Amino acid sequence: MEQTWRWFGPDDAVGLHHIVQAGATGVVTALHQIPYGEVWTPEAIATRKAIVEDPAHGLRWSVVESLPIHERVKLGDGDLSTIFDNYRTSMRNLAAAGVNVICYNFMPILDWTRTQLDAPLPGGGTALRFNHHEYVAFDLHMLKRPGADEGVPPEVLTQAAVWFQASTEGDRDRLLANIMAGLPGAYDRYDIPQLREMLRRYDDISRDDLRANYARFLEEVIPTAEECGIRMCVHPDDPPRALFGLDRIVSTEDDIAFILNAVPSRANGLTLCSGSLGANPANDVPGIAARFADRVHFAHLRNVAKDPDGSFMEAEHLGGDTDMVKLIRVLMAEERRRRAEGRADWQIPMRPDHGHALIDDAARPTFPGYPIIGRLRGLAELRGVMAAVDQIEGA
């Protein structure tokens, strides 16, 4: 697999020279400065590509993460022709620049969601964590969403009430900021009234409506992807569950089957995120990878450890609930199959995702979940697994 590294652009505290030192050869980046729904111009793409692919680094821009979908598309809100036209134009501009893999997601309002960004680890270091009781405290006592207690176990409701009663204003502000932290490239950050208003816009949007709006998006853009050689790959929901009363529709094996069958094209593919899918106890991540292997265009390799109450924490890359060795074997077997077919695009880009903050990572102002040393450790571990699999099973 092609070893890549996520880079948030020139303002990222992680520099391209760090990526070279980590041993990655591909860069995963996006033009976060461009508002959602606007065109990524050839000039803007060329400027970023020139920085990434400076010969001094020996890197290439391997994957766009993400070319975001405007919220109006998810809502099916009004005349979307300009938004779709702009998206297709951005796709063509990226393809013309030689960037052919586009990762995106279809999560309403929020991206990945955690309640704690610095959960302590044994021996030092910190990890991202989703504490179910803190999420419920936010939803029920801060957001005050009607129905927020439905289906929540009584013991979690009790924990949530205890947390809220003991919390300070600073604790509540920090929880809101943590929940918003999964939007590193978004322009919108919501306070409580703004989030309530955004959620209100989804009041009449059912799960079937959301699926229909997604299918419409695919019907609008996949023909363009086929035309210009783009591989689109949807990122699963993180976490893979409804949040704040919003349905999420990229959470299970059945969801993925619906999406890939909605427009049956190789250009309509999947970002296999082992951590996102792995946070749902019902998901067999290596099994999902095997079923949809021919449509996996990108992989986020990370692990989570789940708790019985619905909480989970980012684990070591090889140490969580997902059998990472088994998953890598599936992906590398698919690469061998593609190469045997003579495909030029046989290689699956992968990146280590959501590393622990280790040693002096805390001293750097990196985006939550994207420290240098923690990801370096993860990449080294994954690289070792790939080398062993290749030695034993490779052609």
Side-chain angles (χ1 to χ4, degrees):
M1 287 187 279
E2 180 188 15
Q3 297 171 34
T4 71
W5 191 277
R6 191 171 191 183
W7 185 59
F8 291 97
D11 295 332
D12 196 333
V14 180
L16 293 173
H17 62 290
H18 293 127
I19 299 174
V20 174
Q21 292 173 42
T25 58
V27 171
V28 177
T29 191
L31 305 184
H32 294 303
Q33 72 275 18
I34 298 178
Y36 292 10
E38 294 190 9
V39 170
W40 289 19
T41 65
E43 295 76 16
I45 293 167
T47 297
R48 178 60 57 87
K49 186 177 174 71
I51 296 171
V52 170
E53 300 191 358
D54 184 324
H57 298 128
L59 299 169
R60 81 178 191 102
W61 186 356
S62 301
V63 180
V64 172
E65 186 178 352
S66 298
L67 181 58
I69 299 173
H70 198 283
E71 204 68 31
R72 287 182 55 205
V73 173
K74 301 170 192 177
L75 287 160
D77 178 23
D79 182 1
L80 299 173
S81 55
T82 298
I83 290 175
F84 286 132
D85 284 343
N86 289 352
Y87 201 97
R88 287 187 289 258
T89 299
S90 297
M91 293 169 64
R92 293 188 179 100
N93 292 343
L94 285 162
V99 185
N100 298 310
V101 179
I102 297 176
C103 173
Y104 69 98
N105 74 69
F106 208 81
M107 291 181 257
I109 303 178
L110 299 174
D111 203 296
W112 62 263
T113 303
R114 301 292 184 273
T115 65
Q116 190 174 5
L117 306 183
D118 56 356
L121 297 167
T126 61
L128 302 179
R129 182 173 174 84
F130 183 94
N131 291 309
H132 193 192
H133 72 280
E134 289 180 340
Y135 159 74
V136 173
F138 180 86
D139 194 20
L140 184 60
H141 299 291
M142 293 173 59
L143 192 60
K144 302 184 187 302
R145 183 179 64 85
D149 58 345
E150 292 178 8
V152 179
E155 60 273 18
V156 175
L157 289 173
T158 299
Q159 281 184 291
V162 169
W163 183 93
F164 182 74
Q165 290 163 8
S167 64
T168 65
E169 184 177 350
D171 293 331
R172 297 169 192 174
D173 289 344
R174 185 162 45 252
L175 180 57
L176 172 64
N178 290 351
I179 288 170
M180 292 294 132
L183 295 164
Y187 274 66
D188 293 325
R189 293 290 189 275
Y190 308 115
D191 58 22
I192 296 293
Q194 289 168 335
L195 183 55
R196 287 191 187 116
E197 178 58 24
M198 284 299 299
L199 291 170
R200 186 196 62 75
R201 297 178 67 189
Y202 280 88
D203 280 350
D204 297 323
I205 303 295
S206 69
R207 177 179 176 80
D208 286 343
D209 292 332
L210 201 56
R211 275 190 161 189
N213 294 340
Y214 187 10
R216 179 186 176 190
F217 167 77
L218 293 173
E219 290 163 358
E220 292 280 355
V221 305
I222 295 302
T224 300
E226 293 173 332
E227 161 202 317
C228 59
I230 289 282
R231 283 164 283 158
M232 300 290 292
C233 41
V234 64
H235 187 286
D237 302 324
D238 186 11
R241 63 180 75 173
L243 288 182
F244 308 119
L246 296 172
D247 285 310
R248 287 189 161 193
I249 58 170
V250 196
S251 294
T252 67
E253 185 171 347
D254 287 345
D255 289 339
I256 295 167
F258 170 85
I259 293 159
L260 300 187
N261 289 332
V263 179
S265 165
R266 182 187 290 176
N268 177 24
L270 173 67
T271 296
L272 196 287
C273 181
S274 53
S276 297
L277 292 170
N280 184 335
N283 285 338
D284 171 7
V285 180
I288 289 172
R291 178 177 175 185
F292 304 113
D294 63 329
R295 305 279 278 278
V296 173
H297 301 322
F298 184 31
H300 290 178
L301 299 183
R302 63 180 175 89
N303 228 321
V304 296
K306 299 182 287 294
D307 297 335
D309 71 346
S311 302
F312 62 89
M313 188 168 76
E314 305 285 353
E316 297 175 356
H317 284 75
L318 303 185
D321 295 337
T322 293
D323 186 336
M324 191 64 71
V325 174
K326 185 175 182 180
L327 174 60
I328 289 173
R329 289 178 64 192
V330 169
L331 296 175
M332 293 184 71
E334 171 61 16
E335 285 188 319
R336 291 194 298 274
R337 186 193 68 80
R338 295 179 188 184
R339 187 162 47 180
E341 287 185 348
R343 284 174 52 177
D345 62 351
W346 62 269
Q347 202 168 29
I348 299 172
M350 58 74 66
R351 67 172 178 86
D353 198 12
H354 290 192
H356 291 167
L358 303 174
I359 309 176
D360 62 350
D361 273 329
R364 299 183 184 89
T366 54
F367 290 100
Y370 292 94
I372 295 177
I373 296 172
R375 283 189 290 166
L376 176 61
R377 175 183 173 179
L379 181 58
E381 292 174 342
L382 298 168
R383 181 184 295 136
V385 173
M386 290 187 290
V389 170
D390 191 54
Q391 179 76 14
I392 295 168
E393 300 180 3

